[in-house]
Amino acid sequence: MSILSGALDLIALMAFIILFCAFEHRRKQRSLHYPPGPPRLPIIGNLLDVPKVWSWLVYQEWAKVYGDVTSMQILGQVIVVVNSYAAARDLLEKKAAIYSDRPAVPFFDLMKWSWFIVAAPYTNEWRHRRKILDRGLRPNAIVQHRPMQKQKTHDFLRRLLTRPEELRAHIEHLQGSIIMSLVYGYETQEDNDSYLKTALDANEIGQRAMIPGNAIVNDIPFLARLPEWLPGMGFKAEARVGERLGQKLVNRPFNFVKKSMRDGSARPSITRESLLELEKTDTPKSEDAERAIAEASGSLYMGKLGYFIRRMTVSAILTLFLVFVLYPEMQQRAQAEVDAVIEGQRLPDYCDRPKLPYIEALCKEVLRWRNVAPLGVPHTVTQDDVYDGCFIPKGTIVVTNIWAILHDARVYPEPDLFKPERFLTADGLLRDDPILTSVFGFGKRICPGRHLVENTLFIVAASLLATYSIGKAKDVQGKDIAVEGAYTGGSISFPVDFKCSIIPRSVAAAGLIHANS
Ligand code: HEM
């Protein structure tokens, strides 16, 4: 009896100590301040301080006053902005276990769009789908798609030959057809593509849900629980449309792959490879495992046209054209480099890459100079945390100021200048720069498409340089049309529309384009 009561006393004492420590820990955290930031007004906090456009520039200025990790509060929601590479790694990579969630988008929940990886919460479901994408988009896996990327780039060159004024449409087609081929082995039709309509419709709904202020339920989530017959509940019917579209988007191309696998016509693709892998490991095939593949692929299909992935890649390729217009001397240097390798006999290939360090450096500088997602995609914190003596509570939204990281004058001197040489050694060799990967985000949510983007940018740049001269367009009087080189200030930064001339460098160059497309 006395042994038993002694043991109980010990357990009670231990429980008391654990509770006391937890209480003290929490009390200490509570007594800590949030990371420093601009002064807050009662209730609305920093609502009036948040700029609608070019916010990354304002946050960069705040960092000079308050430090690399700053915070603001909007209607009670804590938002932390991370402005340096070191802090981004400390939080989003070293503490990835608690910094990898995404802010909730209630309208997506209503549409049952948890399959859409970009916005999905950090759950086992997400991990499973993300693994499928990581496997399909890793360097060793995408190597087999290089011939396809090359062929699509050659088709792009041909389109530029016949309708150069439709530059942006051609870039969108290039990007979309690469993704559809990579994900489903599907050849996008030139006009009236049958998969286009579904994706466009789903995207329209997706965009409305993502852009702040567009879907009322995102701002006032409890509305989702009210009955549909109440006034103002129209979003519920819209959510049902979104759910149906989402299912169509996920299932239709997936079924196309399964059917073509059955009749033996399936081309290599992420979906086909994932299904083959599943056959090896999962017997009998479970519906859940197939569904995960369909949904992971659907996320890329959605992204092919979406606000997010499409705009990013299109923006980067447009920047390439802008750079050629603004800096003709760099275009000439890059042309000389590619000419020395291909000697006008053929179009560039991936195997030429090691011999084209200046072009590689130019592509890297395109990604750095006008990084297309200056604030990345927000993460959220799933547990209370302390960083550098400051309290970061569970639920905090963490925004990475990728712009500030890539325009840090200590790392990239004269950061606003376009200088490919910063990625070259004194001997003209390519310099490894781990900080540049910040352009694709951090930690577990880092962009899985990054290797594909680098491959695409390289082959597009080298092929363009080998065949075209890009310069200022002329007005009716034959005068150069000025190009400002301005960018939009929204969450995905885009070159403001500009005109340029795109002319084959020679008859032989035009001949190469025809011969290869
Ligand atoms: C210039 C082009 C691109 C840039 C700069 C870019 C950048 C980014 C960034 C900053 C993120 C957020 C990372 C984070 O949360 O920390 C992201 C996420 C993502 N990107 Fe990209 N991206 C590009 C193109 C692509 C392409 C071509 C694909 C598909 C093949 C892709 C697929 C994705 C996906 C699926 C996510 C969500 C990852 C997740 O939440 O787990 N991206 N990207």
Side-chain angles (χ1 to χ4, degrees), residues 390-406:
C390 297
F391 181 49
I392 299 181
K394 174 181 171 174
T396 296
I397 294 178
V398 180
V399 173
T400 324
N401 192 349
I402 297 174
W403 174 273
I405 294 172
L406 296 175

Side-chain angles (χ1 to χ4, degrees), residues 314-389:
V314 172
S315 175
I317 297 178
L318 273 174
T319 296
L320 199 60
F321 279 82
L322 183 64
V323 160
F324 292 154
V325 176
L326 292 177
Y327 307 109
E329 67 294 349
M330 295 188 199
Q331 182 181 177
Q332 279 159 17
R333 179 170 167 187
Q335 281 171 336
E337 185 180 69
V338 74
D339 288 352
V341 174
I342 59 167
E343 298 175 333
Q345 301 299 309
R346 60 178 176 87
L347 291 177
D349 207 332
Y350 283 101
C351 58
D352 300 320
R353 226 166 154 170
K355 290 180 232 142
L356 300 174
Y358 185 72
I359 295 177
E360 282 268 30
L362 194 138
C363 293
K364 285 179 187 287
E365 182 68 343
V366 160
L367 290 173
R368 183 206 69 85
W369 182 59
R370 292 292 178 258
N371 67 296
V372 297
L375 296 177
V377 181
H379 294 215
T380 48
V381 188
T382 48
Q383 256 178 46
D384 288 350
D385 188 30
V386 174
Y387 181 69
D388 212 9

Side-chain angles (χ1 to χ4, degrees), residues 255-331:
N255 291 335
F256 160 81
V257 178
K258 283 184 69 175
K259 182 175 166 295
S260 41
M261 281 173 80
R262 278 196 301 273
D263 66 27
S265 64
R267 298 181 190 199
S269 69
I270 294 182
T271 310
R272 190 190 80 154
E273 276 24 286
S274 306
L275 282 169
L276 290 175
E277 189 67 25
L278 187 66
E279 267 170 24
K280 280 192 239 150
T281 53
D282 192 35
T283 13
K285 266 186 284 175
S286 73
E287 230 176 75
D288 277 357
E290 280 209 0
R291 178 118 212 103
I293 296 172
E295 293 186 350
S297 299
S299 282
L300 296 186
Y301 169 35
M302 165 88 177
K304 149 191 137 66
L305 287 153
Y307 183 69
F308 186 67
I309 295 173
R310 180 199 65 175
R311 287 179 62 123
M312 294 226 205
T313 315
V314 172
S315 175
I317 297 178
L318 273 174
T319 296
L320 199 60
F321 279 82
L322 183 64
V323 160
F324 292 154
V325 176
L326 292 177
Y327 307 109
E329 67 294 349
M330 295 188 199
Q331 182 181 177

Side-chain angles (χ1 to χ4, degrees), residues 21-31 384 391:
C21 289
F23 177 77
E24 270 300 284
H25 179 66
R26 183 85 192 168
R27 193 183 64 77
K28 274 196 195 136
Q29 286 188 332
R30 289 262 171 232
S31 67
D384 288 350
F391 181 49

Side-chain angles (χ1 to χ4, degrees), residues 102 117 126 130 309 312 372 377 379 441-442 445 447-448 453:
R102 293 276 195 227
I117 281 183
W126 170 85
R130 176 70 205 228
I309 295 173
M312 294 226 205
V372 297
V377 181
H379 294 215
F442 288 89
R445 305 301 291 235
C447 174
V453 171

